[in-house]
Amino acid sequence: MSENKTKPSETPAAELIAAVEHPMRRADGQTLLEMFQRATGYAPVVWAPAIIGFGRYHYRYKSGREGDFLATGFAVRKRNLVVYIMPGYADYGAILDRLGKYKKSKSCLYINKLADIDLTVLEELILAGLRDLNKIWPVQPA
């Protein structure tokens, strides 16, 4: 059985954001850090290698695999910002329709820059994801 390689680290989230080279990405990362903290009420935890997570949950699949993972969070990448909504985006079409410019995969939302989206709608999406995740696996502080 494979183990989840994404685990909490000791790196401070502010240090990770400060190390972002591109000034606009660094500023967007700081904005997301503040927004996620305010919206979730959870302290940021850097999950290796470079995801800033808020809250955590313990999962146990029918296969027997289990572990802990971040409940929601984001990463500042060279090409874009990545927002993680753990229940996935399948049921959030009405919210996403109001968000702005983005791309998505199952649990990842890719945003070029925060100026492309409505931050109030992003916060609504984050809270909806946490609420839905909590129905499956209880979310706890990290």
Side-chain angles (χ1 to χ4, degrees):
M1 195 173 326
S2 65
E3 186 176 323
N4 188 350
K5 293 179 179 151
T6 306
K7 296 184 181 283
S9 75
E10 296 297 320
T11 304
E15 184 178 298
L16 187 67
I17 297 294
V20 174
E21 289 181 26
H22 193 281
M24 184 186 70
R25 287 253 187 276
R26 187 171 49 251
D28 282 354
Q30 185 61 42
T31 298
L32 286 175
L33 180 64
E34 293 166 6
M35 184 184 72
F36 270 84
Q37 260 185 291
R38 183 184 65 254
T40 68
Y42 295 124
V45 173
V46 174
W47 290 67
I51 299 171
I52 299 175
F54 298 83
R56 74 165 56 204
Y57 67 98
H58 184 80
Y59 61 86
R60 180 176 292 127
Y61 298 133
K62 290 179 184 178
S63 66
R65 180 179 178 178
E66 65 180 288
D68 293 307
F69 204 65
L70 60 115
T72 191
F74 70 94
V76 180
R77 306 278 189 231
K78 284 188 182 205
R79 295 186 61 192
N80 49 35
L81 304 163
V82 183
V83 174
Y84 300 92
I85 303 293
M86 301 327 296
Y89 290 97
D91 297 328
Y92 301 120
I95 298 172
L96 290 170
D97 287 345
R98 297 182 286 117
L99 183 61
K101 186 178 173 184
Y102 66 88
K103 292 181 181 177
K104 68 179 174 110
S105 63
K106 184 174 177 173
S107 294
C108 298
L109 190 70
Y110 302 95
I111 302 164
N112 288 330
K113 58 187 180 296
L114 292 184
D116 290 341
I117 63 165
D118 183 323
L119 292 177
T120 303
V121 175
L122 179 59
E123 188 170 326
E124 179 184 345
L125 179 63
I126 292 163
L127 293 174
L130 278 176
R131 191 172 46 251
D132 289 346
L133 178 63
N134 200 45
K135 291 175 188 173
I136 304 165
W137 292 296
V139 176
Q140 306 165 7

